[in-house]
Amino acid sequence: MKKRALVTGITGQDGPYLAKLLLEKNYDVYGLLPRRSKQDFYNLNYLSIKKDVEYVVGDVTDYNCMHKVISKIKPHEVYNLAAQSFVGNSWELSSVTSDINAFGPLNILNAIKNVDEKIKFYQASTSELYGNSCEKIQNENTKFEPSSPYAIAKLYAYWMTVNFRKSYNMFCTNGILFNHESPIRGIEFVTRKISDGVAQIKCGKQKYLTLGNLDAKRDWGFAGDYVEAMWLMMQAEKPDDFVVATNTQFSIRDFLRLAFKEVNISNWEQYIKINKDFKRPVDVNSLCGNYNKAKNTLGWVPKTSFKELVQLMVREDLKRHEKQNI
């Protein structure tokens, strides 16, 4: 019998990559669509899987809705990727962020418990839980110091996932994913803003890029690699929590340098403007993850280097803009 998986956040960045992987593994994949008058299937179309996914409209902030959805589908695995995922907006949208990122997972967990406790649950946790950690490299034992409403809401969901695992002996796992990017990353995120902006500058559509803190350092990986770690967590003998990262760190300056190099622009600094308004009330300056537990327990390792990731994103955005010019 084919496995059934329910993926929330199916139209975001990770949802399509995960759905593609699950389809390749012969799952029946169900995607939860938010209640909107018009749905955006761009990312699913980009990976050519829109027609292969079954869709159901629902809302993670509505317990009764999630109970109905899970009762109807009876999935073997639920991957909760739904989130208000832009950290910068979470100060202005703290209530909405909490409803989706904290209480959404709680609603799903309660629905699973009341429908079938054997359903496996994956919670998309985040490196933002660590905030401005005193440790240079973070792992599963590093103390959490969330520095944004986004991270605080995600921390609630993290501990609820652990609590349901311990309280009800449910298969509940947290993937503590460090920054992961792709050509279908939202344009509001700095990496995609850079890759798209560089492509537009190369095509003569834009004169400069406006950014905030160029010195922030992150551990960046490829979303297509990271969804494999999600799946492996759900196949593990026992549920647990895992850091998913690359063990390397680069600054936004590094990202800019490689992005402009890809389009043969060496004097990239002249195309950058700094706007202090883009800086967050509390900036997380440095994050770098240690994925050794995932490597040793799950056999997972990242396949895409930082350089390859930047090249992939710039090339795809360049292709988009050159196509529009034809």
Side-chain angles (χ1 to χ4, degrees), residues 166-184:
K166 292 182 177 180
S167 299
Y168 306 110
N169 198 30
M170 289 167 56
F171 194 107
C172 302
T173 181
N174 281 293
I176 308 172
L177 272 59
F178 280 63
N179 291 63
H180 48 291
E181 319 297 325
S182 76
I184 56 173

Side-chain angles (χ1 to χ4, degrees), residues 203-220:
C203 291
K205 295 182 177 181
Q206 189 171 307
K207 292 184 178 179
Y208 54 83
L209 261 169
T210 304
L211 299 168
N213 181 11
L214 303 188
D215 297 316
K217 296 179 180 179
R218 293 291 186 271
D219 183 327
W220 275 303

